[in-house]
Amino acid sequence: MLANIPTHVLDVLKAMNKAGFSAYIVGGAVRDILLGIIPHDYDITTDALPEETKVVCEQNHWQVIDNLGNNFGCVVTVVDGNPCEITTFRGEKYTQKDAHRPSEVWFCKELKEDLSRRDFTINAMALDANGTL
């Protein structure tokens, strides 16, 4: 399953793991991989906080081009010329007024909590650097 995943994506997963954090490919990329389709982009989720993700990026000499950590827990970095979005595990709460924008967002430490907020069952799957689904 890992054969078609770009090296820069695996490098991010392995660097986060080496630094002591969990990291997974999630969402549509996992769906596409299972369908035998080459994903257009890869979403990576981690238990590292945005500040910790930035440290890992800096230790690997990857440029951080955007830090949306204050709002979404997302750090955008460039690995071998490829942008990568690395987002902290999070939970969300919605109101009946707006089912598209969370009224509350918080960081969490459990993959299961992060996956439980995703919109479709197939988007609630995660793939690690060893190819474990």
Side-chain angles (χ1 to χ4, degrees):
M1 211 181 314
L2 296 177
N4 294 326
I5 298 173
T7 304
H8 71 276
V9 174
L10 291 174
D11 288 347
V12 170
L13 297 177
K14 291 175 184 176
M16 296 303 293
N17 293 159
K18 185 177 177 186
F21 300 106
S22 299
Y24 303 88
I25 299 169
V26 292
V30 177
R31 175 199 62 224
D32 290 351
I33 291 166
L34 292 172
L35 291 171
I37 299 169
I38 297 173
H40 295 287
D41 68 336
Y42 295 82
D43 294 325
I44 298 171
T45 190
T46 180
D47 59 346
L49 295 172
E51 309 81 53
E52 295 169 323
T53 297
K54 283 179 66 176
V55 169
V56 173
C57 293
E58 291 164 1
Q59 289 172 339
N60 285 277
H61 309 289
W62 300 330
Q63 178 188 10
V64 174
I65 58 171
D66 200 0
N67 182 2
L68 303 173
N70 292 337
N71 298 323
F72 305 106
C74 182
V75 173
V76 180
T77 189
V78 178
V79 180
D80 297 329
N82 300 286
C84 293
E85 292 184 8
I86 309 166
T87 305
T88 301
F89 295 166
R90 67 181 192 253
E92 298 172 341
K93 181 179 179 182
Y94 293 84
T95 63
Q96 287 183 332
K97 278 183 151 182
D98 191 344
H100 299 287
R101 293 185 195 148
S103 60
E104 189 178 343
V105 176
W106 60 89
F107 297 142
C108 57
K109 286 292 184 184
E110 298 296 323
L111 175 64
K112 185 175 180 179
E113 185 174 356
D114 182 80
L115 295 178
S116 70
R117 71 177 177 79
R118 296 179 183 272
D119 55 352
F120 296 107
T121 303
I122 199 151
N123 285 348
M125 293 190 288
L127 184 65
D128 70 14
N130 298 315
T132 302
L133 184 64

